[in-house]
Amino acid sequence: IELKSGILNIFLKTGIVFTQVDVWLGLSYCDGKWNKVTVNKEGSVVSASMNELKEQTLEPRVQQLKVNSPVYVGGIPPEIRNVYKELGLEQGFGGCMKDVKFTRGAVVNLASVSSSAVRVNLDGCLSTDSAVNCRGNDSILVYRGKEQSVYESGLQPFTEYLYRVVASNEGGSVSSVWTRVRTRESVPQNVPTPSRVHSINGYSIEVTWDKPAGVIGVIEKYILKAYGEDGPNVPITSAELADTSMLTGILTGLHPFTNYAVTLTACTLAGCTESLHALNISTPQEAPEDVQPPTAISFPTFLLMSWSPPKTPNGIIIQYTLYMNGVPIYFGNGTKYVVK
């Protein structure tokens, strides 16, 4: 089943018998509404319909159709395409589909049975502006002249347009087939502030966010950034997340007992946009690091011991313990002690 240049083509091959049914649609399906496609084989009659348009053909030699292999919806793998070159299959289906039914069996939930879908909304993604983006049968004249290239501006980002060329001479005019062209994405707008930040420990946090609304295009990645609360406008650490289906990520490389401002950045192929506001968080305390050894000033009958605070306290030091020969001799928050 293929939809190409305004024609719904049905190809059926059983044994050595090849049957084809063509339903002329024009661009009538570009009306912003769901379209119902039905393909039916009853005996030697093969029929196809979309909405109210229907065609059928009679092929007495057609054999019984028995399906004992995987069913591919929307496209077929390259290794299969090479076997059935006579079908002339081109690129896969681009769009949305739902409620796939067969004569026997229940309605198929595409989202649960698909194994290799790429960037396809299997639950349906009807857009109210699809009727405008399709441009219907009343196509717009873009250029008239003798040049072989033209630049058209004022288009919508990440939108599919149909183009064709009409060549004319004194003998008449002939139109080419329609060609599909899609404009590039736009930079994301209105990227939300992270909705929740949770400390895992003093060195890492878990960040949760909502999917940006109104993104025209495919989000390629998210970036989490942590800034010092009073520091320069340069992130202390960041994390790139390529799995855009996940709206939760881990940000590591932080310091304990420190205040941070966390932002979310969303990226398409056109560029990235960072949230205007940040969500603040304070990491918890952790055990001190780089504890300094004590130093001594010697006297005849006693030692004056002193020590500096840890280079990385990771919090508020509430107690020091001084050991002599493995035995603790001082507990407190001071940094000096006289050993008599």
Side-chain angles (χ1 to χ4, degrees):
I1 307 175
E2 281 190 325
L3 181 60
K4 181 180 178 181
S5 301
I7 302 177
L8 179 66
N9 303 119
I10 310 300
F11 306 100
L12 177 62
K13 182 179 181 182
T14 58
I16 60 173
V17 179
F18 184 82
T19 307
Q20 179 174 342
V21 180
D22 299 327
V23 184
W24 168 251
L25 305 173
L27 295 177
S28 61
Y29 54 88
C30 291
D31 56 1
K33 301 177 182 178
W34 284 105
N35 299 278
K36 183 178 181 180
V37 177
T38 303
V39 179
N40 194 32
K41 176 187 175 297
E42 294 186 11
S44 57
V45 178
V46 180
S47 62
S49 66
M50 176 179 283
N51 302 330
E52 304 300 324
L53 301 174
K54 182 178 181 179
E55 294 288 344
Q56 66 179 33
T57 185
L58 177 64
E59 177 53 71
R61 299 175 300 165
V62 69
Q63 301 178 17
Q64 183 179 0
L65 181 63
K66 294 182 179 180
V67 180
N68 57 1
S69 65
V71 176
Y72 299 98
V73 180
I76 58 176
E79 60 271 17
I80 304 296
R81 187 183 297 114
N82 294 333
V83 177
Y84 298 96
K85 295 181 179 179
E86 70 275 8
L87 293 180
L89 298 172
E90 298 181 4
Q91 65 188 69
F93 173 76
C96 311
M97 60 179 68
K98 67 176 183 177
D99 299 341
V100 177
K101 303 177 182 178
F102 294 91
T103 304
R104 297 181 179 88
V107 177
V108 179
N109 184 343
L110 293 177
S112 62
V113 302
S114 62
S115 59
S116 60
V118 178
R119 291 183 179 174
V120 176
N121 188 333
L122 297 173
D123 296 323
C125 56
L126 189 60
S127 174
T128 55
D129 61 355
S130 61
V132 177
N133 294 340
C134 270
R135 285 191 169 179
N137 285 312
D138 54 341
S139 56
I140 299 172
L141 179 63
V142 176
Y143 169 76
R144 185 192 300 272
K146 296 183 179 180
E147 300 294 331
Q148 291 182 276
S149 63
V150 64
Y151 176 81
E152 184 181 11
S153 60
L155 303 178
Q156 296 296 317
F158 201 64
T159 301
E160 190 173 80
Y161 292 90
L162 298 174
Y163 289 90
R164 69 176 174 182
V165 175
V166 179
S168 305
N169 59 19
E170 294 181 357
S173 301
V174 176
S175 300
S176 70
V177 297
W178 288 98
T179 297
R180 293 197 302 267
V181 182
R182 181 179 290 278
T183 53
R184 290 189 59 182
E185 300 102 322
S186 63
V187 177
Q189 305 293 326
N190 303 320
V191 177
T193 304
S195 57
R196 180 176 178 270
V197 179
H198 169 70
S199 293
I200 299 175
N201 50 46
Y203 306 96
S204 60
I205 58 176
E206 181 184 69
V207 184
T208 303
W209 62 92
D210 298 321
K211 186 176 181 180
V215 175
I216 305 177
V218 177
I219 295 179
E220 295 291 326
K221 63 180 178 181
Y222 291 109
I223 303 176
L224 298 174
K225 297 180 182 180
Y227 297 85
E229 192 175 51
D230 301 319
N233 195 25
V234 177
I236 295 174
T237 184
S238 64
E240 291 192 5
L241 308 170
D243 185 0
T244 58
S245 63
M246 299 293 293
L247 300 179
T248 299
I250 305 297
L251 192 56
T252 59
L254 304 176
H255 301 292
F257 201 58
T258 307
N259 296 327
Y260 291 100
V262 181
T263 65
L264 172 69
T265 300
C267 299
T268 65
L269 291 178
C272 301
T273 301
E274 188 173 9
S275 58
L276 293 177
H277 303 285
L279 194 60
N280 297 325
I281 187 174
S282 298
T283 52
Q285 300 185 62
E286 293 285 347
E289 298 177 75
D290 296 329
V291 177
Q292 302 302 298
T295 59
I297 299 177
S298 301
F299 294 90
T301 59
F302 64 90
L303 297 173
L304 176 59
M305 309 298 300
S306 64
W307 55 90
S308 300
K311 290 185 177 180
T312 310
N314 289 337
I316 299 175
I317 303 298
I318 58 175
Q319 178 178 289
Y320 292 103
T321 304
L322 181 65
Y323 290 83
M324 184 174 69
N325 297 329
V327 179
I329 59 173
Y330 168 76
F331 300 92
N333 55 11
T335 56
K336 292 181 179 180
Y337 181 71
V338 175
V339 181
K340 300 179 181 180

